[in-house]
Amino acid sequence: MRILKSAALILGLTFLPLPATAQGMPPEQIKQILDLTKANWVAFRDWQGQELIYFTHLEAWKCGIDYVFYGLNGGPMDQVWELDSCDPDSPNAVLKEKPYLERPDGSTQSISVQLIFPDGTKSAVETFLYKP
């Protein structure tokens, strides 16, 4: 039911008269989509003795994000995930060869992420726990 409400909200927002971005969506709509999908900002995977932290979802919305700051294991939010450049012809395409961080097995307990938007506003800091 929550997914249906979220989808209805997103669809309803498409009729708001706001300036469009390269993704053809108003900046406020992109921020709302990212807020509604914050549980998907990062994903974890064990792979061949490493921990991979994927930023694929954020790469797909890169045209609506200026910066992605992150911190690992409760540390300071002083690292930057470098998003690919926005391509207005394919704004949601994820073409980065490695849209993930590679970490040694057993080294990650959590990652905290904060987004900075083109209008200068910041998202709340979201913390994701790694559960192998």
Side-chain angles (χ1 to χ4, degrees), residues 78-110:
D78 61 355
Q79 298 180 67
V80 177
W81 175 258
E82 296 288 336
L83 294 165
D84 265 352
S85 298
C86 175
D87 178 357
D89 294 328
S90 299
N92 296 104
V94 178
L95 303 175
K96 191 173 237 175
E97 185 177 332
K98 291 185 176 183
Y100 53 84
L101 294 174
E102 296 174 304
R103 307 260 307 146
D105 192 32
S107 66
T108 306
Q109 290 79 49
S110 67

